[in-house]
C-alpha cells in the first residue's frame, strides 16, 4: 500500500483511536480511584489500630501500677505479720521458760554462808586432779580467721563437753538472744543470721564469760551489786539452777575488759570460774565449780595480775592468762597458775598469739578439740594449739 493510501485511511481510524484512548484513561482513573479508596481505608484502619493499641498500653500500665501498689501493700502486711510472729515466738519462748517455773534465784543466806565457809577452808589447797591430763600449751600452731560478725565484743563457741557441731554466738556484752547455727559451714558461709535459730534467755547476760557445757548454758547475770551463775537447759529452754556467786565486792576480772566480772571456763577437769575482788584487786582468783549444783568446790588466789589482761582459760587444771596493751599489739600467755602444783609459773612457756585486728573480747578453750574460739574486734578466729607434757616444758 502506498503512502497516499495511508493518508486516505487516517480520517477513518482517528475516531477509533480516540475512543480507545478515552477508554484507557477511564480505566486508569477507575484503578486510581480504587487505589485511593484502599489507601484511605488502610489509613483509617491504621489509625483505629493505633488508637486501640494506645488504649491497651494505657490499660496495661494502669494494671501494672495497681499490681505494684498491691505488691507493696502485701509486702508491708508480710513485714507486719513477721513482726507479730516474732513477737509471738518471743512470748511463747518466755512462757516455755516459765513452765516449769525457773528455780528461785533468791539464795538462802545461811546456806550461802556455809558454802563460802567450806570453800574458804579449802582455799589455796593443792588440787587433787580428776584426770591424768598433764598437758600444757607449747605454742599456737595455726590461726584461722573465719568471718566478721556482730559487734566488737562477743563470744562464739561449741559445747565444750560434747561432740555437737552446733555453733553458739553471743553478740555483745549485754543481750538476751543467743544465735545457734547447726554447723560451722552455715556460720561461715552466710553473712546474715537467717540460718540460725534464736534462743531467748529469761534474763540478759553481762560480759563475755559464758560457757556451753554438756547441753547447758552457764551464763552470768548481774543483779544489783551481785552476780549470778545461771544454768540454762538448751534442749527444753528452761532455767535448771542458779546461784549467787559467793564473792564480795567483785571487780572486772580483766583489766582490758570492763564488762566481764566472771569468766566461766571448761577444761579436761570440768568447770572453773575466774574472777576478781577488791580484797586483792591486783590479782585474779580461781574457783572450781560443780556443774551439777553450781557449788564452789575450791578457791585459789593466783599470782596472775589483772592489769593488761584481756582473757583467760584453763587447760588441764592450769590457769592461762592472756595479756595485751591498751594500744593492741601481740597478745601473749604470760602467766600460768597450776592448781595441782605440777607446773611452776616460771617454768611455763611464753606463748605468743599471731598479730590480729585488735584485742580479744573472749577466748574459749575446747578440751576435746585442743583449740581456742576467739572473738577479736568482731572477727571470729580459731587458734589451734600445740601441746606438750608439763614435765617437758
Amino acid at each position: 500500500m502506498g503512502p497516499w493510501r495511508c493518508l486516505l485511511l487516517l480520517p477513518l481510524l482517528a475516531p477509533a483511536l480516540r475512543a480507545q484512548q478515552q477508554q484507557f484513561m477511564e480505566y486508569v482513573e477507575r484503578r486510581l480511584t480504587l487505589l485511593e479508596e484502599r489507601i484511605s481505608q488502610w489509613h483509617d484502619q491504621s489509625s483505629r489500630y493505633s488508637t486501640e493499641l494506645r488504649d491497651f498500653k494505657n490499660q496495661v500500665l494502669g494494671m501494672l501500677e495497681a499490681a505494684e501498689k498491691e505488691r507493696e501493700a502485701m509486702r508491708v502486711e508480710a513485714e507486719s505479720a513477721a513482726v507479730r510472729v516474732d513477737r509471738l515466738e518471743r512470748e511463747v519462748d518466755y512462757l516455755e521458760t516459765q513452765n516449769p517455773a525457773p528455780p528461785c534465784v533468791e539464795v538462802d543466806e545461811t546456806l550461802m554462808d556455809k558454802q563460802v565457809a567450806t570453800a574458804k577452808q579449802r582455799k589455796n589447797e593443792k588440787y587433787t586432779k580428776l584426770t591424768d591430763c598433764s598437758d600444757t600449751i607449747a605454742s599456737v600452731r595455726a590461726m584461722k580467721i573465719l568471718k566478721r560478725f556482730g559487734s566488737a565484743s562477743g563470744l562464739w563457741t561449741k559445747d565444750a563437753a560434747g561432740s555437737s557441731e552446733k555453733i553458739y554466738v553471743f553478740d555483745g556484752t549485754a543481750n538476751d538472744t543467743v544465735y545457734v547455727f547447726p554447723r560451722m559451714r552455715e556460720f561461715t558461709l552466710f553473712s546474715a543470721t537467717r540460718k540460725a535459730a534464736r534462743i531467748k534467755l529469761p534474763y540478759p547476760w553481762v560480759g563475755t564469760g559464758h560457757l556451753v557445757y554438756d547441753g547447758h548454758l552457764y551464763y552470768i547475770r548481774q543483779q544489783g551489786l551481785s552476780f549470778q551463775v545461771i544454768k540454762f537447759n538448751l534442749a527444753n529452754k528452761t532455767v535448771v539452777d542458779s546461784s549467787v556467786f559467793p564473792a564480795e565486792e567483785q571487780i572486772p576480772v580483766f583489766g582490758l575488759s570492763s564488762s566481764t566480772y566472771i569468766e566461766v571456763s571448761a577444761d579436761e577437769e570440768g568447770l572453773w570460774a575466774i574472777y576478781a575482788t577488791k580484797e586483792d584487786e591486783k590479782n585474779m582468783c580461781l574457783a572450781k565449780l560443780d556443774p551439777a549444783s553450781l557449788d564452789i568446790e575450791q578457791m585459789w588466789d593466783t599470782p596472775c595480775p589483772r592489769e593488761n589482761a584481756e582473757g583467760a582459760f584453763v587447760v588441764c587444771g592450769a590457769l592461762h592468762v592472756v595479756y595485751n596493751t591498751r594500744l593492741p599489739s601481740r597478745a601473749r600467755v604470760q602467766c600460768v597458775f597450776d592448781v595441782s602444783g605440777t607446773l611452776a609459773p616460771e617454768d611455763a612457756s611464753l606463748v605468743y598469739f599471731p598479730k590480729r585486728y585488735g584485742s580479744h573480747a573472749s577466748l574459749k578453750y575446747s578440751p576435746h578439740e585442743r583449740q581456742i574460739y576467739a572473738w577479736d574486734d568482731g572477727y571470729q578466729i580459731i587458734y589451734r594449739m600445740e601441746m606438750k607434757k608439763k614435765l617437758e616444758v
Side-chain angles (χ1 to χ4, degrees):
M1 184 181 292
W4 60 270
R5 291 183 179 180
C6 292
L7 293 174
L8 292 176
L9 292 175
L10 284 174
L12 298 174
L13 295 174
L17 292 173
R18 284 195 298 273
Q20 288 181 354
Q21 185 180 8
Q22 183 66 30
Q23 291 177 355
F24 177 74
M25 293 301 296
E26 290 177 354
Y27 172 76
V28 170
E29 289 179 357
R30 287 197 303 271
R31 298 297 296 180
L32 289 174
T33 301
L34 182 61
L35 183 61
E36 288 176 351
E37 289 177 354
R38 290 183 176 179
I39 291 174
S40 177
Q41 184 180 5
W42 174 83
H43 180 71
D44 293 341
Q45 290 178 349
S46 177
S47 298
R48 187 171 65 254
Y49 292 155
S50 177
T51 301
E52 291 177 355
L53 181 61
R54 185 168 55 253
D55 293 341
F56 178 72
K57 178 182 176 182
N58 293 334
Q59 183 180 2
V60 170
L61 289 176
M63 294 172 65
L64 289 175
E65 185 178 355
E68 180 64 23
K69 290 181 179 179
E70 291 181 1
R71 189 186 71 83
E72 181 65 20
M74 291 179 65
R75 186 187 66 80
V76 173
E77 290 181 1
E79 290 181 351
S80 177
V83 171
R84 292 196 297 270
V85 169
D86 184 65
R87 187 183 300 117
L88 180 61
E89 288 179 347
R90 289 174 177 267
E91 292 176 355
V92 170
D93 289 342
Y94 175 76
L95 291 175
E96 287 180 351
T97 61
Q98 304 304 309
N99 186 26
C104 181
V105 296
E106 297 296 332
V107 177
D108 182 86
E109 295 293 338
T110 305
L111 178 60
M112 193 174 93
D113 290 342
K114 289 181 179 179
Q115 292 176 354
V116 173
T118 302
K120 285 184 176 180
Q121 287 176 2
R122 300 192 60 194
K123 191 171 185 179
N124 298 324
E125 289 183 3
K126 186 176 179 180
Y127 176 72
T128 303
K129 297 183 66 174
L130 303 176
T131 68
D132 58 355
C133 180
S134 59
D135 292 334
T136 187
I137 296 176
S139 64
V140 177
R141 186 179 64 190
M143 177 183 76
K144 183 177 182 181
I145 302 172
L146 272 78
K147 64 183 298 184
R148 188 172 191 177
F149 174 88
S151 54
S153 295
L155 159 71
W156 76 295
T157 185
K158 287 184 178 181
D159 190 322
S163 59
S164 172
E165 292 297 317
K166 291 183 178 180
I167 301 295
Y168 299 89
V169 180
F170 302 74
D171 187 16
T173 59
N175 207 333
D176 62 359
T177 301
V178 182
Y179 297 104
V180 184
F181 293 84
R183 287 176 301 275
M184 185 72 74
R185 180 178 180 274
E186 282 74 10
F187 175 67
T188 306
L189 295 181
F190 296 95
S191 58
T193 57
R194 64 180 183 274
K195 290 292 183 178
R198 290 172 173 82
I199 297 179
K200 174 79 170 180
L201 300 177
Y203 316 111
W205 70 70
V206 61
T208 59
H210 325 298
L211 178 74
V212 178
Y213 186 83
D214 196 22
H216 294 84
L217 166 62
Y218 297 81
Y219 74 98
I220 308 304
R221 176 198 183 194
Q222 184 173 8
Q223 194 172 31
L225 298 177
S226 64
F227 294 88
Q228 293 177 331
V229 180
I230 307 294
K231 182 179 180 181
F232 183 83
N233 188 302
L234 293 169
N236 56 30
K237 299 179 177 57
T238 58
V239 173
V240 177
D241 201 356
S242 62
S243 175
V244 174
F245 195 76
E248 298 177 353
E249 296 184 306
Q250 286 186 243
I251 55 177
V253 62
F254 306 126
L256 298 181
S257 177
S258 60
S259 61
T260 301
Y261 287 78
I262 301 174
E263 174 76 29
V264 183
S265 181
D267 74 342
E268 296 77 3
E269 294 288 310
L271 258 59
W272 305 83
I274 310 163
Y275 65 101
T277 66
K278 285 187 177 180
E279 183 179 355
D280 184 11
E281 61 182 0
K282 292 184 178 181
N283 296 329
M284 300 179 189
C285 300
L286 181 66
K288 186 69 173 64
L289 283 178
D290 183 347
S293 64
L294 301 181
D295 290 341
I296 303 295
E297 298 178 344
Q298 207 167 337
M299 304 170 76
W300 295 266
D301 295 324
T302 78
C304 297
R306 292 176 52 250
E307 185 178 4
N308 292 331
E310 66 176 9
F313 50 89
V314 182
V315 178
C316 289
L319 173 67
H320 293 67
V321 183
V322 180
Y323 293 89
N324 207 322
T325 58
R326 293 200 176 272
L327 294 176
S329 62
R330 287 192 67 183
R332 61 213 176 271
V333 176
Q334 199 168 330
C335 183
V336 178
F337 175 70
D338 190 347
V339 296
S340 65
T342 306
L343 177 65
E346 60 273 12
D347 294 333
S349 298
L350 180 61
V351 178
Y352 278 91
F353 288 84
K355 186 170 177 58
R356 312 164 325 278
Y357 301 95
S359 60
H360 291 120
S362 62
L363 294 160
K364 288 298 171 183
Y365 173 68
S366 174
H368 63 280
E369 292 177 311
R370 294 297 176 93
Q371 61 187 21
I372 293 174
Y373 293 87
W375 190 294
D376 175 16
D377 196 26
Y379 289 88
Q380 289 72 50
I381 302 174
I382 292 177
Y383 295 111
R384 293 186 173 89
M385 314 308 290
E386 187 72 31
M387 312 299 287
K388 285 187 177 182
K389 298 298 180 183
K390 293 179 180 180
L391 297 178
E392 297 177 0
V393 177

